[in-house]
Every structure is written in structure tokens, then in C-alpha cells.
Amino acid sequence: MKLLTFNDNGQFKLGIKTEKGILDVAAAIEGMASDQMSSFSTTLHAVIEGGTAAVAQLQRLVNLVMEAGSEGEAYLLDETHIQYGPCVTNPSKIICVGLNYRKHAEETSAPIPEYPILFNKFSNTLTGHGAEVPLPEKVSSQVDYEAELVIVIGKKAKYVEKEHALDHVFGYCNVNDLSARDLQMRTHQWLLGKSCDSFSPLGPFLVTADEVGDPNNLDIRCIVNGEVRQHSHTSDMIFHCNEIVSYISQHMTLLPGDIILTGTPAGVVLGYPKEKQIYLKPGDVVTIEIEKLGSLTNTMVAEK
């Protein structure tokens, strides 16, 4: 199932991508008024916490809407006209893994990590597919793109062995882990360069784990103004997704809705020779594409 959020009068509502459009879950439940639907999840976080049972309920709702013909069409929205929100709206933790692709480590002349390099971002960085991203030009002139696969936790995880780690995953999505390199490299801590507003466009969809299969068997690309800048495969990760979840869970409790950004492949601006480094500027259009997860596109704009 492909889940999403969309903005409706300042509130993020739950949607489901279908072949006929985006299903407005709350509107469908209210309009089709059935006692059986009173327990259905109507928020993205509730679905994550509800797991496979909540997804099964929503699949029943989709089936009913599709079978209702013209009546059901009233609850379907044109996806080109909605304003997407981040596909996970309120994670308690945003954890990032640095230097997790071998060729990316090599292009930045960094040693291959012995352990996952962890840092964090905050909720101010979250935005959705189609949103404009303001470049913080007052403090940075070196904003870089980073295509990344995101793990979304579905079940509480503490001291999980890697053989069972993916059992705790609800699904996956795309992110552009935007990075202000001049701020990132100013000190030994990377946080400042990673945490500017809207620096984590997330989406467009949160795709359930059953639809994705092996998360380390996916094609991944970043396209800037129509030019492919990054093109790799998640099998190039130094630490695979199950290892990442297991490792983090040894040190902190992962909760439903927590998100883990798993690192970026080679091809970032930072990896180019200095004379060829052209960082993002207003008007640039960046698309992140990961196999099975759709395309996440955002336009860079001048900060107001």
C-alpha cells in the first residue's frame, strides 16, 4: 500500500494512492458511514502503530470505494491538485547514517566506517513532495542534494538482532537529505549543515514493507534539472538496512514512526573536483527516485 499525507486547510490528512486517484480516508469513512469502519485509522501515525491490521482495514476501505462506482469517486482526489505533506509527519526521532555507500566514501576521500556513523535531524526539516525548499543563502552558499532510502519503524525495537530487524519496519520512502556543506564542515559535528528548514523533503509515498521486499535491492537516482547526478543501487550500502536497525536498537529504543535515513550514494556535488562544484541555486529542480517508491520532486527557491 502507498500511503501519504496531504494538506487540507492547514491539517495533514491521510491519503492512499489508488489507480483512480488519491483516496481521502477520513472523508470516505465518514461518507460511507458504517459501524464496521468506526475503528479504522484516519491518521498516518495511527496506521503505522496499527501495523498490518490497520493496513488490512484500509485495504477493505479501498475495495469498498472502488466497488461503489460513481459514489466512491466523490472520495478520490486528483493527485496533481493536492498539496503533499511529508509522508511521515511526526517522528519522535530522525536518525541519519553518514558515509554508508562505499563509492560515496571513496569520492569524498573518507575511510570506510567500521561502525555506522549516526547523526540526527529535527522535524523542522520535514516537508513534502512538490514543496519549495528555501535555500538559506544568508548563511550558506553550498547546499548539496543527497538521494536516500528511508526506513520507517513500525514496531518498538530494542536490542533487536539483525536477523529479525526488518520485522520491526513498517515501510520505506524517499528523502532528499539536503546538506549545507560549508556549515556541515565548519566543525566536527555535522548537525548544523543538515538541519536547516525544509532540508528533508520526504515522500511522496510511504510504501509498506510487503510491497518493497528487500530494501537492499533497489535502484536509486537523483536528477537535477533533468540531469542524472546520482545513480546507484542500495546493495552498495556498507551497512544494510537490517544491520542499521539492529545497531541503533542496541543503543536507543526505536518507536513506531521513527525514521532512519540510510545514507547517500556517489555523485553529490561535494564529491566533484573543486573546479566543477556547482551547488544548488534558486530555480533548480531536484528529483529523488527509488525503485518501487515513486518520485520526490522539489524546487529550490530564494529564502524570503
Side-chain angles (χ1 to χ4, degrees):
M1 181 172 285
K2 292 181 173 65
L3 302 164
L4 62 122
T5 70
F6 62 95
N7 192 320
D8 183 21
N9 293 320
Q11 292 187 329
F12 291 130
K13 295 184 68 177
L14 174 63
I16 302 171
K17 179 176 172 58
T18 76
E19 293 180 356
K20 295 184 178 180
I22 301 300
L23 175 62
D24 182 337
V25 170
I29 290 173
E30 181 180 359
M32 301 187 75
S34 166
D35 292 340
Q36 294 179 342
M37 297 181 190
S38 60
S39 64
F40 283 20
S41 301
T42 57
T43 68
L44 193 284
H45 195 74
V47 178
I48 294 173
E49 287 189 318
T52 55
V55 172
Q57 287 180 328
L58 291 181
Q59 186 58 60
R60 285 171 52 202
L61 180 65
V62 171
N63 295 342
L64 288 171
V65 169
M66 296 298 112
E67 292 167 2
S70 58
E71 179 186 350
E73 290 177 5
Y75 312 118
L76 294 170
L77 308 173
D78 184 341
E79 65 181 294
T80 63
H81 293 158
I82 67 171
Q83 181 183 348
Y84 283 84
C87 66
V88 180
T89 53
N90 57 339
S92 69
K93 296 186 242 349
I94 302 174
I95 303 169
C96 310
V97 185
L99 296 173
N100 195 34
Y101 281 73
R102 293 185 182 279
K103 292 179 182 177
H104 175 52
E106 291 166 1
E107 74 175 345
T108 57
S109 300
I112 301 298
E114 184 178 354
Y115 301 98
I117 298 172
L118 303 182
F119 60 95
N120 66 299
K121 289 184 138 185
F122 303 109
S123 59
N124 68 297
T125 65
L126 297 177
T127 191
H129 168 63
E132 294 182 338
V133 174
L135 296 173
E137 295 172 298
K138 290 184 179 180
V139 294
S140 174
S141 59
Q142 296 182 0
V143 176
D144 205 346
Y145 49 82
E146 292 191 14
E148 301 199 18
L149 173 71
V150 176
I151 299 168
V152 181
I153 298 298
K155 297 177 184 177
K156 182 178 177 180
K158 181 66 173 176
Y159 300 125
V160 176
E161 297 300 322
K162 69 177 183 179
E163 291 79 10
H164 305 292
L166 297 188
D167 296 339
H168 295 261
V169 173
F170 178 86
Y172 305 89
C173 62
N174 302 320
V175 72
N176 186 354
D177 178 21
L178 290 158
S179 305
R181 300 300 189 188
D182 39 6
L183 301 181
Q184 179 185 351
M185 303 304 175
R186 181 181 288 177
T187 68
H188 293 296
Q189 300 296 327
W190 296 352
L191 184 145
L192 186 63
K194 296 284 189 172
S195 296
C196 297
D197 294 339
S198 299
F199 263 27
S200 302
L202 199 69
F205 312 116
L206 168 54
V207 183
T208 52
D210 61 301
E211 285 200 14
V212 176
D214 181 359
N216 285 105
N217 188 28
L218 302 172
D219 192 77
I220 179 170
R221 301 199 304 167
C222 175
I223 303 163
V224 181
N225 300 328
E227 177 189 359
V228 176
R229 298 285 185 85
Q230 295 177 281
H231 189 187
S232 186
H233 198 267
T234 57
S235 60
D236 189 46
M237 286 186 190
I238 297 167
F239 304 102
H240 282 199
C241 292
N242 61 341
E243 296 174 275
I244 292 169
V245 172
S246 176
Y247 180 77
I248 295 173
S249 80
Q250 306 306 310
H251 304 89
M252 65 189 81
T253 302
L254 293 168
L255 299 174
D258 285 350
I259 62 176
I260 304 170
L261 285 59
T262 58
T264 198
V268 297
V269 176
L270 182 64
Y272 282 55
K274 283 198 173 181
E275 65 274 12
K276 294 184 178 181
Q277 291 180 350
I278 301 175
Y279 287 95
L280 294 174
K281 60 188 184 300
D284 284 347
V285 178
V286 183
T287 296
I288 308 301
E289 293 182 345
I290 301 179
E291 186 179 355
K292 301 181 181 180
L293 303 182
S295 297
L296 168 72
T297 298
N298 298 91
T299 301
M300 307 298 115
V301 297
E303 189 174 42
K304 296 180 182 178

